[in-house]
Amino acid sequence: MINIRVPARICFYGDHQDYLGLPVIAGTIDRYINISATLNHTDRFEIQLKDIGTRRTINFNDSLEEVDEGDYFLSAIAVLKKSGLHLKHGYTVEIEGNIPLNAGLSSSSALTVAWIRFLLSSQEFPKTWTNKQVGHWAYEAEVLFFNQPGGLMDQYSIAQGGLIFIDTQKGETTKLSTKLGKLVVSESGLPKKTLDVLKNGRVYGQKAIKAVKQQYPDFNMKLASADDYEKYKHAVPEKYRAHWYAAVHNYQITKKAKKELLRENPDIKFLGGLMNAHQDILQNQIQNTPQPMIKMMEAAREAGALGTKIVGSGGGGCMVALVVEENMERVVQAFLSQGAKDAYEVNLTSS
């Protein structure tokens, strides 16, 4: 039998930055997708998705030329086949987990990474691989294969684990301190609007940066400072200025968070303040946070949370709060009192 366990992820700093080529800080938490598989001596995978009560059969001779949008099972096989994967062994596969679906904790990317790890473990593959390579294959399968607007943060962070700073241009990662305090995740109960939010964030952000570079060809976003928002604002059409602000200032927040998290004992109050500053931009400039979730996070901060933010692309889904131990239960109850579907403690996992 083969058993695979892959964690969920939270982006703490840098939401809506990776597709602009800017860095992010993300970490994996102790909520998981689990795959268990046994040989069935056929030329197919018999897959049971237990959490949603569906079954799927994939034959080894299935065509990979016309893969339905979002079929990451087949896109992952197609990506790995290009790298030398040979399907030789049939398996009966059970998939289940405790990551809330369509809620911002990247259940889909966790499943893709888990599926890739299963394929590599169960089939004939001629090469060695690293966790980073697994993340890149997952990124290819989810984003590049379907020409989607997302970045590589989800796949890279889930595949590598721990808390990491990701240079999304180079694909390089830096391990950071996991001494981030206590964490509470709250499920709002509101469905996400992933593709619409991502598309607007990506297009508007890219057009804002492009407008600046058209007038100032030497401008380098990776070298931008907080002062550059005002310095170059006149070059950005009014329609994209909010996303110009978000690009510049979220980048500064991420750099400050990285510097703090490289310390042996980071200041969690400072990090909570950065989280709040990041959320302020997400809800006011990116506009990805529904009003009910804003009220939930306000209540959590009033109950003692050091920082709160929406998780994932936005429009709904989950929130995370950075707390100290003595305020944990008060923060949980604050989320619930404002109508959250659920709230509970989570922990960062190691790499």
Side-chain angles (χ1 to χ4, degrees), residues 1 38-39 41 59 61 72-73 82 88 141 151 180 189 208 223 235 239 248 256 286 299 320 331 338 341:
M1 176 176 284
T38 55
L39 275 168
H41 305 290
N59 292 300
N61 59 357
Y72 303 137
F73 287 109
K82 288 182 180 179
K88 296 289 185 180
L180 198 57
L223 301 177
K239 183 176 182 179
V248 171
K256 290 177 182 177
I286 301 291
V320 64
V331 170
Q338 294 298 311
K341 177 182 176 182

Side-chain angles (χ1 to χ4, degrees), residues 270-281:
F270 178 71
L271 291 167
L274 292 178
M275 186 180 289
N276 290 331
H278 184 25
Q279 173 58 35
D280 186 70
I281 293 171

Side-chain angles (χ1 to χ4, degrees), residues 186-310:
S186 178
E187 301 174 27
S188 71
L190 303 174
K192 289 196 309 162
K193 301 174 182 177
T194 300
L195 292 183
D196 288 341
V197 174
L198 278 178
K199 182 178 179 181
N200 288 341
R202 181 173 194 161
V203 171
Y204 287 14
Q206 289 176 338
K207 286 188 174 182
I209 294 171
K210 182 179 179 180
V212 173
K213 289 186 70 67
Q214 284 178 336
Q215 289 195 36
Y216 301 92
D218 294 333
F219 175 77
N220 184 345
M221 191 68 205
K222 292 294 288 288
L223 301 177
S225 67
D227 294 338
D228 286 339
Y229 168 71
E230 289 291 345
K231 182 177 180 180
Y232 297 108
K233 183 173 69 173
H234 66 278
V236 180
E238 183 67 33
K239 183 176 182 179
Y240 309 130
R241 283 186 183 172
H243 285 75
W244 169 242
Y245 182 97
V248 171
H249 288 282
N250 276 338
Y251 181 34
Q252 308 312 309
I253 290 169
T254 302
K255 289 193 293 184
K256 290 177 182 177
K258 178 191 178 185
K259 182 178 179 180
E260 189 64 29
L261 286 164
L262 285 171
R263 297 176 55 193
E264 183 177 352
N265 292 297
D267 183 340
I268 63 170
K269 289 185 178 180
F270 178 71
L271 291 167
L274 292 178
M275 186 180 289
N276 290 331
H278 184 25
Q279 173 58 35
D280 186 70
I281 293 171
L282 292 174
Q283 67 189 48
N284 293 315
Q285 274 73 41
I286 301 291
Q287 297 186 350
N288 76 337
T289 312
Q291 191 62 37
M293 295 178 73
I294 292 174
K295 290 183 178 179
M296 292 175 197
M297 286 185 281
E298 287 175 347
R301 292 194 297 273
E302 289 174 1
L306 301 175
T308 60
K309 67 177 291 293
I310 194 169

Side-chain angles (χ1 to χ4, degrees), residues 8-315:
R9 76 91 189 92
I10 288 175
C11 178
F12 292 97
Y13 306 97
D15 278 303
H16 295 276
Q17 298 278 278
D18 53 345
Y19 46 69
L20 302 179
L22 297 173
V24 299
I25 293 173
T28 49
I29 59 170
D30 55 352
R31 307 286 283 196
Y32 298 98
I33 290 289
N34 299 288
I35 291 181
S36 59
T38 55
L39 275 168
N40 61 21
H41 305 290
T42 69
D43 60 352
R44 61 186 178 271
F45 299 121
E46 298 286 355
I47 303 170
Q48 182 182 7
L49 295 157
K50 298 181 73 173
D51 295 324
I52 58 176
T54 62
R55 293 180 178 271
R56 169 85 182 273
T57 298
I58 297 176
N59 292 300
F60 290 177
N61 59 357
D62 280 355
S63 172
L64 300 176
E65 294 180 0
E66 294 185 6
V67 177
D68 291 340
E69 188 84 13
D71 188 344
Y72 303 137
F73 287 109
L74 290 187
S75 64
I77 292 173
V79 166
L80 289 179
K81 276 192 168 185
K82 288 182 180 179
S83 292
L85 181 77
H86 295 282
L87 298 180
K88 296 289 185 180
H89 310 291
Y91 277 83
T92 299
V93 182
E94 292 186 350
I95 301 174
E96 61 184 337
N98 61 356
I99 305 174
L101 303 179
N102 192 34
L105 297 182
S106 207
S107 58
S108 63
S109 292
L111 177 56
T112 304
V113 171
W115 178 244
I116 287 173
R117 290 197 184 280
F118 161 70
L119 292 172
L120 293 170
S121 300
S122 66
Q123 306 302 312
E124 294 185 7
F125 191 73
K127 307 172 185 176
T128 59
W129 66 88
T130 63
N131 288 333
K132 178 181 175 182
Q133 180 62 66
V134 169
H136 191 76
W137 281 322
Y139 169 61
E140 287 187 71
E142 284 197 82
V143 179
L144 301 183
F145 192 91
F146 298 105
N147 194 30
Q148 292 287 2
L152 52 74
M153 171 186 63
D154 294 355
Q155 300 82 10
Y156 272 50
S157 57
I158 289 170
Q160 295 182 58
L163 186 66
I164 59 175
F165 173 92
I166 307 173
D167 182 327
T168 60
Q169 282 190 327
K170 299 178 181 179
E172 296 175 352
T173 59
T174 303
K175 289 291 183 183
L176 301 175
S177 172
T178 55
K179 297 178 182 179
L180 198 57
K182 296 290 184 177
L183 300 171
V184 170
V185 161
S186 178
E187 301 174 27
S188 71
L190 303 174
K192 289 196 309 162
K193 301 174 182 177
T194 300
L195 292 183
D196 288 341
V197 174
L198 278 178
K199 182 178 179 181
N200 288 341
R202 181 173 194 161
V203 171
Y204 287 14
Q206 289 176 338
K207 286 188 174 182
I209 294 171
K210 182 179 179 180
V212 173
K213 289 186 70 67
Q214 284 178 336
Q215 289 195 36
Y216 301 92
D218 294 333
F219 175 77
N220 184 345
M221 191 68 205
K222 292 294 288 288
L223 301 177
S225 67
D227 294 338
D228 286 339
Y229 168 71
E230 289 291 345
K231 182 177 180 180
Y232 297 108
K233 183 173 69 173
H234 66 278
V236 180
E238 183 67 33
K239 183 176 182 179
Y240 309 130
R241 283 186 183 172
H243 285 75
W244 169 242
Y245 182 97
V248 171
H249 288 282
N250 276 338
Y251 181 34
Q252 308 312 309
I253 290 169
T254 302
K255 289 193 293 184
K256 290 177 182 177
K258 178 191 178 185
K259 182 178 179 180
E260 189 64 29
L261 286 164
L262 285 171
R263 297 176 55 193
E264 183 177 352
N265 292 297
D267 183 340
I268 63 170
K269 289 185 178 180
F270 178 71
L271 291 167
L274 292 178
M275 186 180 289
N276 290 331
H278 184 25
Q279 173 58 35
D280 186 70
I281 293 171
L282 292 174
Q283 67 189 48
N284 293 315
Q285 274 73 41
I286 301 291
Q287 297 186 350
N288 76 337
T289 312
Q291 191 62 37
M293 295 178 73
I294 292 174
K295 290 183 178 179
M296 292 175 197
M297 286 185 281
E298 287 175 347
R301 292 194 297 273
E302 289 174 1
L306 301 175
T308 60
K309 67 177 291 293
I310 194 169
V311 176
S313 56

